Amino acid sequence: MELGRLLQNVSVKDTNADIKTDIREIKINSKIVEENDLFVCMEGVNDDGNDYIDTIEVPFVALTSKKPKNPEVKYVLVDNVRLAYAKVCQYRFLNPAKDMKIISVVGTNGKTSTAHFITSLLSFAGIKCGLIGTEGHFIDGEKVGHSLTTPDPYELNELLFKMRAKGCDVAVAEVSAHAIYLEKTGDIKADIAVLTNITQDHLDYFKDFDNYCGVKMSYFTPAHVKKAVINVDDKSGRLLLQRSEINGLPCVSYGLYNPADCFAINIREDTVGTQFVANLNDDIVDCKSSLMGEFNVYNLLAAMSVAHELGIDGETLSHAVRKVKTVKGRFSVMRNDKGTIIIDYAHTPDGLMQLLSTARTLTKSRLITVFGCGGERDSRKRKSMGEVASKYSDCIIVTSDNPRGENPEEIIREIETGITIKDTKSIVDRIEAVRFALGEMEEGDTLVIAGKGNENYLEIRGRKVPYNDFDVVERYGQLR
């Protein structure tokens, strides 16, 4: 594709390159640049692509925010390299988002489940969907890859291109705070964007909650979103709704405890699932689901609100909700002869609270909780996680959860500062921790294993060691 076509929506400050140059491919890794590639000089925390310009031995064009010192280098100078990268990737793949409805899901907790539920409801209604998110990338139900929650712009647009080529009408994507901050979505505008909630997470990167919250909320402007679906039971959601009304962004609110356009009443939960009545802008829908927990009522309500905005009627949604299945590793329930075992991805104080409060309602005897906290991430949440676990649990086993370069014993000690119950044990080895907890179960107990969900590794000192909570439970849990 000609350089000029790739740059047609990029604000260029200066260039010495011929805009008719036929660009072979877009690269961000200098080691794999080939002749006539566009090399994007990304500037990261620890690395700067501009430092590698002189190592490239073939003719190329640099997309950069720093004019190269070598006058022989062809360059395109821009103010914002990341945004420019996202835009050129859109045109590299022929702007694939323009021919599909784009649904974005933003939030600290519930993104993955809500995105999957939206896809399930729309697919039931006969709409062909693509899905991009934490548990992988799917086209019409077929898994086609797995990477970051929100892939980098090249992969993101390549996925959208493949979805469009295979006839998808809708693309549903989880959009992380990092993706918003790094402008990965470029000029892709969401037809509908959901805000599930904003609670403490990623403060290692964003430094404080106000910054983290501000990044997520910054996505909800007419520049990025055509219509918002907002949880007004969340404090940040209510603030966002007020701002959106001022900024002229059309909104649909949902919730259980505050006035909302879409809400649920008569929520009844038992051992086989949940029933409730949903009011979707006065379209009354009787719902019966195999999903457990109030948090899943929120996730379903968000998904139903999106589907309703896309024209799916209440009767169809009533049938579609019955078919929605939990995402593996999101409140996945198993049973043995002693009691119930729940595996969940919850790794924030709010997520753990939602998980354990729901598990508590299913527990006849003791609630045993196994969890840890990730290394080289927000250490301020460790004490809070211990406090939350203490509030709902009868027994706690603290263990490792991706310690990365940190000492796992030190992470555990920080968690223990928040634990207030006596029946507590620390076991660094996660396999041994889960096996011990399974052995501790007595009749009527519930065991919750939190933090990793369906992840298939433990990240320890730069290595990803194969590990999966489900595998350990299947091996030692004597499941029915």
Side-chain angles (χ1 to χ4, degrees):
M1 183 178 287
E2 284 189 357
L3 178 62
R5 289 190 63 194
L6 286 175
L7 297 173
Q8 61 185 288
N9 206 26
V10 175
S11 179
V12 176
K13 292 176 65 178
D14 185 26
T15 183
N16 65 351
D18 184 350
I19 62 171
K20 294 187 179 297
T21 300
D22 188 24
I23 297 297
R24 196 194 67 84
E25 193 51 279
I26 303 166
K27 304 282 180 60
I28 60 172
N29 183 348
S30 62
K31 294 179 180 179
I32 60 173
V33 171
E34 298 179 65
E35 186 172 351
N36 287 341
D37 279 350
L38 180 68
F39 173 51
V40 183
C41 302
M42 303 290 277
E43 299 169 34
V45 176
N46 301 313
D47 219 353
D48 186 343
N50 292 283
D51 296 337
Y52 300 92
I53 285 178
D54 290 335
T55 68
I56 302 172
E57 298 179 349
V58 296
F60 72 101
V61 178
L63 180 63
T64 177
S65 64
K66 301 175 182 177
K67 188 174 180 177
K69 295 178 182 178
N70 184 346
E72 299 298 317
V73 174
K74 300 299 181 183
Y75 65 86
V76 175
L77 192 67
V78 297
D79 282 324
N80 187 332
V81 172
R82 291 188 179 277
L83 181 58
Y85 174 44
K87 290 182 177 184
V88 297
C89 287
Q90 285 172 236
Y91 283 95
R92 158 66 178 85
F93 290 101
L94 308 179
N95 199 7
K98 67 178 172 43
D99 294 323
M100 294 184 291
K101 293 285 187 182
I102 304 297
I103 310 299
S104 298
V105 184
V106 179
T108 306
N109 300 310
K111 286 196 305 293
T112 298
S113 292
T114 299
H116 278 260
F117 295 172
I118 292 169
T119 304
S120 178
L121 296 179
L122 297 182
S123 297
F124 181 88
I127 298 174
K128 198 169 184 177
C129 296
L131 173 62
I132 298 171
T134 305
E135 287 301 307
H137 315 314
F138 301 81
I139 298 178
D140 198 23
E142 179 185 354
K143 192 169 185 177
V144 296
H146 192 287
S147 59
L148 299 171
T149 295
T150 312
D152 284 338
Y154 188 98
E155 184 184 1
L156 174 63
N157 283 278
E158 184 179 33
L159 282 165
L160 293 173
F161 178 83
K162 290 177 179 178
M163 290 174 185
R164 187 177 70 177
K166 292 193 175 183
C168 289
D169 302 301
V170 174
V172 182
E174 296 180 51
V175 178
S176 67
H178 293 82
I180 296 168
Y181 183 74
L182 298 174
E183 301 186 272
K184 288 184 179 182
T185 59
D187 283 339
I188 297 172
K189 184 177 286 192
D191 292 274
I192 301 176
V194 179
L195 179 73
T196 60
N197 50 65
I198 305 178
T199 63
Q200 180 181 341
D201 201 10
H202 301 303
L203 300 194
D204 56 298
Y205 188 89
F206 294 104
K207 306 308 179 186
D208 60 49
F209 180 77
D210 287 344
N211 285 336
Y212 171 65
C213 181
V215 167
K216 284 190 178 290
M217 293 177 71
S218 71
Y219 182 73
F220 289 82
T221 68
H224 300 105
V225 175
K226 296 179 183 178
K227 179 177 284 189
V229 171
I230 299 173
N231 175 8
V232 289
D233 286 345
D234 180 79
K235 181 180 179 180
S236 298
R238 292 193 294 275
L239 178 59
L240 178 60
L241 183 65
Q242 294 173 0
R243 290 184 181 178
S244 298
E245 289 172 347
I246 295 171
N247 293 334
L249 177 65
C251 295
V252 174
S253 58
Y254 73 95
L256 303 181
Y257 301 109
N258 284 285
D261 300 312
C262 302
F263 57 91
I265 60 173
N266 298 338
I267 300 170
R268 305 179 301 283
E269 192 171 12
D270 56 33
T271 56
V272 296
T274 307
Q275 298 182 53
F276 60 93
V277 177
N279 183 318
L280 307 176
N281 273 309
D282 295 330
D283 193 354
I284 309 302
V285 185
D286 288 318
C287 300
K288 186 174 183 180
S289 170
S290 61
L291 303 175
M292 309 290 292
E294 184 178 84
F295 58 89
N296 268 326
V297 177
Y298 277 105
N299 296 337
L300 282 171
L301 195 55
M304 293 171 70
S305 299
V306 170
H308 197 259
E309 287 300 309
L310 292 177
I312 311 302
D313 63 86
E315 183 178 355
T316 301
L317 288 174
S318 180
H319 294 293
V321 166
R322 291 173 178 264
K323 302 293 184 181
V324 174
K325 297 179 180 179
T326 188
V327 180
K328 189 174 183 180
R330 268 66 176 180
F331 209 86
S332 295
V333 178
M334 295 156 285
R335 290 182 173 84
N336 59 18
D337 289 337
K338 295 179 180 178
T340 301
I341 303 161
I342 300 169
I343 294 178
D344 192 270
Y345 186 63
H347 60 283
T348 67
D350 182 72
L352 189 64
M353 183 273 291
Q354 297 287 346
L355 167 63
L356 295 182
S357 62
T358 300
R360 183 85 257 176
T361 66
L362 306 177
T363 304
K364 295 179 181 179
S365 186
R366 296 182 305 160
L367 177 59
I368 303 170
T369 302
V370 177
F371 79 103
C373 288
E376 299 177 358
R377 297 294 185 266
D378 178 19
S379 62
R380 285 168 286 184
K381 71 180 181 182
R382 294 170 185 172
K383 181 179 179 181
S384 298
M385 297 279 280
E387 292 169 346
V388 170
S390 299
K391 180 177 180 180
Y392 296 99
S393 307
D394 299 292
C395 173
I396 297 172
I397 296 100
V398 188
T399 188
S400 293
D401 181 346
N402 295 338
R404 300 181 177 88
E406 282 196 64
N407 182 342
E409 293 181 350
E410 180 58 33
I411 296 173
I412 288 172
R413 282 194 288 271
E414 291 185 29
I415 295 170
E416 288 174 334
T417 62
I419 294 177
T420 56
I421 66 173
K422 292 183 179 180
D423 193 356
T424 303
K425 191 174 183 66
S426 298
I427 304 175
V428 173
D429 187 309
R430 193 172 177 101
I431 293 177
E432 289 302 313
V434 173
R435 185 165 69 171
F436 175 83
L438 288 164
E440 286 292 291
M441 288 183 71
E442 299 175 356
E443 186 174 352
D445 286 350
T446 296
L447 168 61
V448 170
I449 305 168
K452 293 195 67 62
N454 195 35
E455 283 184 350
N456 58 7
Y457 62 86
L458 279 167
E459 192 172 344
I460 303 171
R461 299 198 179 282
R463 293 177 57 237
K464 287 190 174 181
V465 179
Y467 173 86
N468 182 269
D469 282 336
F470 286 93
D471 292 344
V472 179
V473 170
E474 287 171 7
R475 183 175 180 182
Y476 300 111
Q478 299 179 332
L479 299 178
R480 291 198 303 225

